[in-house]
Amino acid sequence: VVEITDVDTHALANHKIVVFETLNYKDTTIATHEDKNDTDQTVTVKQPKIATKAYGSDKNKKIDCIANVTIFDDVMYENLTVGKTYTLVAGLYDINKGEYVGKEVSHDFVPTSANGTETVEIPNVNTTALMGDSIVVVEKLVSNKIVYVNHDDLTDTDQTVTVKGPGIKTVAMNAAKDDKTIDAVTDSVIVDTVTLTDLAVGTSYEITVGLYDVDTEEYITGIAVDGSANNLVQFKATKADMEMDVKITVDTTERLGHKLVVVETLRTGE
């Protein structure tokens, strides 16, 4: 058995390699075996491959719009060398903005079998400015500074997660919540039922409340929101979808017949 060692095959993926042999006796060649078509003499260099599936918490393809979300990427690999150290380098590309976001993350591993799966964790991704955007996780497979695979298909839905956009809808009524008209008094009450969707559970939020007079084309000052003069409602999300009533007290004695619009803005409070 002739052993041929230290052959550099990193640039020969999928190539067929034919072993030629020459038999010599006392400086005389007495036989050669150089048949390029002999399959018995031929080996094929394996091509390392990777495929990926990106997701957020609970394997969800939609991730929260917060300052420190974690993205996970399951990397399925094939044809690696057992016992060799590899590095997976993950980056994030924002399809909507056409640019890379965040920082690259490196993940080292030593495969115990030629085929398997590694999970790359990309922590502390700030998605607060990426609401509604599609984020593609791109991966490189590297060993000894040699890039074996680039997996950067920007159309691959398996590699893609979407940043959820928290939603807010409101319905303003009188104090009894049975009519759209209110009394012209010094302490008139408006109840605004706020429906919130796609919140990040455990995240603190605040709602800024305003009241706009359509007839005078001005915002009304001096309103009280849930008994406070700071116009803020602060809460921590216990569910992704929530509903709450916001009580607004306002002096309407000089606004008889006016249309008042409740304006609410949702933002994270962290």
Side-chain angles (χ1 to χ4, degrees):
V1 176
V2 178
E3 184 175 318
I4 305 170
T5 60
D6 298 327
V7 181
D8 184 357
T9 58
H10 82 269
L12 304 177
N14 290 326
H15 287 209
K16 294 183 183 299
I17 310 297
V18 182
V19 179
F20 286 176
E21 298 274 5
T22 300
L23 178 63
N24 296 322
Y25 180 72
K26 292 185 177 180
D27 297 328
T28 300
T29 300
I30 58 176
T32 59
H33 191 73
E34 299 180 351
D35 183 357
K36 291 185 291 185
N37 298 315
D38 188 342
T39 56
D40 285 339
Q41 288 181 259
T42 305
V43 294
T44 302
V45 180
K46 293 185 292 185
Q47 169 68 65
K49 299 177 182 179
I50 60 173
T52 71
K53 288 186 178 180
Y55 54 89
S57 60
D58 299 325
K59 299 281 185 177
N60 201 320
K61 295 291 284 183
K62 290 185 177 182
I63 61 175
D64 291 325
C65 184
I66 56 177
N68 57 347
V69 72
T70 298
I71 299 173
F72 302 89
D73 200 30
D74 287 344
V75 181
M76 290 69 71
Y77 58 83
E78 297 179 19
N79 298 331
L80 301 192
T81 302
V82 174
K84 183 176 182 177
T85 299
Y86 291 90
T87 301
L88 287 163
V89 181
L92 302 174
Y93 187 84
D94 188 319
I95 292 292
N96 301 73
K97 292 180 172 52
E99 62 186 15
Y100 284 92
V101 294
K103 298 179 180 180
E104 285 189 335
V105 171
S106 295
H107 173 86
D108 296 332
F109 70 105
V110 179
T112 57
S113 61
N115 305 327
T117 301
E118 282 289 313
T119 299
V120 179
E121 185 173 324
I122 308 168
N124 301 320
V125 181
N126 187 343
T127 58
T128 54
L130 309 179
M131 186 172 67
D133 288 3
S134 295
I135 309 298
V136 182
V137 181
V138 296
E139 296 270 6
K140 290 187 292 188
L141 178 69
V142 182
S143 184
N144 293 328
K145 298 182 180 181
I146 297 169
V147 178
Y148 284 91
V149 185
N150 264 313
H151 191 58
D152 54 2
D153 182 358
L154 301 182
T155 65
D156 188 344
T157 56
D158 281 341
Q159 288 180 255
T160 306
V161 294
T162 302
V163 182
K164 292 188 290 188
I168 180 171
K169 289 180 63 177
T170 70
V171 178
M173 302 285 285
N174 63 358
K177 297 177 64 176
D178 60 3
D179 199 353
K180 298 285 285 183
T181 61
I182 58 175
D183 295 327
V185 294
T186 57
D187 57 352
S188 191
V189 173
I190 301 170
V191 174
D192 201 31
T193 300
V194 182
T195 302
L196 302 160
T197 57
D198 284 336
L199 302 178
V201 175
T203 296
S204 295
Y205 292 92
E206 62 184 31
I207 298 173
T208 304
V209 182
L211 194 59
Y212 184 79
D213 188 322
V214 175
D215 295 81
T216 62
E217 297 183 347
E218 63 182 6
Y219 281 94
I220 301 172
T221 60
I223 66 173
V225 177
D226 287 345
S228 172
N230 65 6
N231 292 22
L232 282 180
V233 177
Q234 297 174 315
F235 67 99
K236 180 170 285 189
T238 56
K239 297 184 295 184
D241 300 330
M242 298 178 62
E243 185 175 282
M244 65 180 68
D245 284 342
V246 176
K247 179 183 175 182
I248 304 164
T249 305
V250 58
D251 183 351
T252 57
T253 53
E254 297 183 6
R255 302 184 188 275
L256 186 64
H258 289 204
K259 291 183 179 180
L260 308 182
V261 179
V262 181
V263 180
E264 307 230 18
T265 302
L266 174 71
R267 60 174 58 87
T268 57
E270 297 179 332

